[in-house]
Amino acid sequence: EVHIVESGGGLVQAGGSLRLSCAASGFIFDDYGIGWFRQAPGKEREGVSCINSSDGFTYYADSVKGRFTISSDNTEKTVYLDMNSLKPDDTGVYYCAPGLCSDYGPLSVGSWGQGTHVNVSS
């Protein structure tokens, strides 16, 4: 059974930083990309970043490029999202999910965690 646990969210002022963690189990970690998605209030869920743990390929949405960094600890089966220079527009619930990671962004295979809330105040 796929099990995803996101953590690290919180309340931060604009310009601040947060590190999100995604602990995964129940599937062969190296066989999948791991994507970070976010859902802002009243908006659809969007792909933010993803990484292929097998070859290190990464993707970033234009809105976060240069501010967010994704990394993977294959031993711990954990993916991190370091978020710097946060903006109020980054506010939302952040989810991670296994799936595909390509130049088109992350694509989930449908297994989601409970999400972690990020609130960036102006």
Side-chain angles (χ1 to χ4, degrees):
E1 180 183 358
V2 176
H3 193 53
I4 303 291
V5 178
E6 303 98 334
S7 62
L11 174 62
V12 64
Q13 288 188 332
S17 299
L18 284 173
R19 178 178 239 206
L20 305 185
S21 298
C22 168
S25 62
F27 61 96
I28 300 174
F29 193 74
D30 290 354
D31 285 353
Y32 290 87
I34 301 292
W36 280 101
F37 303 77
R38 69 185 178 192
Q39 187 164 19
K43 295 186 178 180
E44 293 187 354
R45 192 175 299 182
E46 62 173 346
V48 173
S49 180
C50 60
I51 186 168
N52 285 330
S53 56
S54 59
D55 61 10
F57 173 83
T58 58
Y59 164 90
Y60 298 95
D62 287 343
S63 58
V64 306
K65 203 171 291 183
R67 300 188 297 121
F68 290 11
T69 302
I70 192 169
S71 59
S72 175
D73 183 333
N74 293 1
T75 301
E76 297 296 326
K77 295 185 180 180
T78 300
V79 172
Y80 302 98
L81 187 67
D82 289 297
M83 307 188 298
N84 298 309
S85 302
L86 282 163
K87 305 174 181 179
D89 284 348
D90 295 318
T91 293
V93 182
Y94 283 69
Y95 302 88
C96 73
L100 300 176
C101 181
S102 72
D103 287 333
Y104 301 102
L107 180 65
S108 168
V109 295
S111 296
W112 299 95
Q114 81 290 347
T116 186
H117 290 254
V118 172
N119 193 336
V120 184
S121 62
S122 57

